Amino acid sequence: TGAASVQAPFLVAFRERGGVDGALGLPTAEAERFQGGSMQSFQGGVLYRSDGDGEIRATTAGDLQNRYEELGGAEGELGLPTGEKVDVAGGRYQAFAGGVLLWHEGAGVFRLDAENFALWAKDPARFGWPTKDSWSDERGAHQDWEKSQTVLRAGRLLTVPQTPVDGSTAVLLCDSQCGGDSWIEQGARGAGFTNIVKLGYGGSGYLAPISGLGAGFTESVSRNLLALPEGDPGLVIITLGGNDAAQRRSATEIVVAEDQLIELLRQSYPNAAIVVDG
């Protein structure tokens, strides 16, 4: 490798990682400056120091570091690392100022924005592994997963349905009242809505929990536990409240939760008519 010195501020970080006997191995070049920080390369990785907080973090040889360098390294779109490589079941990830690189064996490395990664980290089984890099447009931050396609818009998680949600679509949020060919669905079709998207969960309510989520519709939508379909529907029908009343929740509680859910729906669907029945 030739002769290269390891000096402050990298010397302590190098020793903490085992020095020449650690994952980094021997230095392959002297430290160098770039806008916003400095770096030093080793056989097994790179140490980066941020001028902002003075912290030193490493990338280590492998798929994550290779993709990071392909994207321009510290001077590219990801910027400096904000953490080091973390192993998870089936893969690993590393966080950077501009997003996260997530690797899954056999699938490769994908770049996620911080918000999409945070959702995945809470419940990886819900989404599966990413199949594309995150990308953004006027609709929001898009992410393709093994199990779904999602869009994050103003902090709200929406799922991309196979059939576009447009003015001919009625979205139904309901309990067991919309099971099967229900009177609610028949009413929507009778009113001219040919595409019906049904989010129906028996026993649920504004407050009564949806099975498997542990929260009612209002909290589930607010916390992105339940993803609404992305698009611009003509109509949203809410048929909830019966199970809340059966659980003896107070009318005041129910109305507050109802108002909150309607406001969340207006944020996601500003052009839709909202009908509350039941």
Side-chain angles (χ1 to χ4, degrees):
T1 63
S5 64
V6 183
Q7 302 179 29
F10 291 115
L11 183 58
V12 172
F14 177 57
R15 286 173 171 163
E16 288 175 346
R17 289 163 176 79
V20 295
D21 296 319
L24 291 172
L26 290 162
T28 57
E30 298 289 325
E32 59 182 280
R33 292 279 309 165
F34 58 85
Q35 186 173 358
S38 54
M39 60 180 284
Q40 185 163 14
S41 298
F42 298 82
Q43 289 173 310
V46 183
L47 288 176
Y48 294 93
R49 182 183 182 275
S50 167
D51 288 345
D53 60 13
E55 292 292 326
I56 297 175
R57 301 177 179 93
T59 61
T60 52
D63 291 341
L64 289 175
Q65 181 173 282
N66 293 341
R67 183 74 200 282
Y68 179 53
E69 292 175 352
E70 286 174 6
L71 293 171
E75 296 183 284
E77 59 188 275
L78 286 172
L80 283 163
T82 57
E84 304 210 2
K85 190 186 310 183
V86 177
D87 289 328
V88 293
R92 60 180 62 100
Y93 69 86
Q94 186 161 8
F96 301 85
V100 179
L101 291 178
L102 180 58
W103 171 83
H104 172 49
E105 186 175 2
V109 181
F110 296 101
R111 175 183 49 78
L112 278 64
D113 64 85
E115 281 190 289
N116 271 302
F117 175 77
L119 284 171
W120 176 87
K122 287 180 181 177
D123 189 3
R126 176 184 178 188
F127 302 99
W129 295 94
T131 59
K132 287 184 179 179
D133 289 348
S134 298
W135 81 97
S136 296
D137 60 16
E138 68 282 356
R139 292 160 56 198
H142 297 253
Q143 187 64 56
D144 285 13
W145 310 95
E146 289 177 322
K147 297 182 179 180
S148 63
Q149 291 178 283
T150 60
V151 180
L152 265 171
R153 184 163 62 233
R156 184 71 49 238
L157 180 68
L158 306 168
T159 185
V160 180
Q162 292 184 340
T163 302
V165 169
D166 55 21
S168 68
T169 302
V171 177
L172 279 52
L173 279 61
C174 45
D175 52 27
S176 59
Q177 289 287 327
C178 71
D181 187 20
S182 67
W183 59 273
I184 305 161
E185 186 171 342
Q186 291 180 48
R189 288 201 307 268
F193 295 93
T194 55
N195 182 32
I196 307 296
V197 178
K198 185 166 25 179
L199 299 176
Y201 302 91
S204 65
Y206 296 105
L207 299 162
I210 296 170
S211 178
L213 298 185
F217 262 88
T218 300
E219 184 179 353
S220 294
V221 173
S222 175
R223 293 173 52 198
N224 288 325
L225 302 174
L226 178 66
L228 298 170
E230 193 264 344
D232 189 16
L235 175 67
V236 179
I237 302 177
I238 306 172
T239 309
L240 298 169
N243 292 304
D244 296 320
Q247 293 183 7
R248 300 188 181 278
R249 305 299 291 260
S250 73
T252 300
E253 284 183 289
I254 297 171
V255 170
V256 167
E258 177 189 52
D259 288 343
Q260 290 173 344
L261 180 59
I262 290 172
E263 180 57 32
L264 291 168
L265 291 169
R266 290 197 195 285
Q267 293 171 12
S268 297
Y269 306 132
N271 301 315
I274 299 177
V275 174
V276 180
D277 60 21

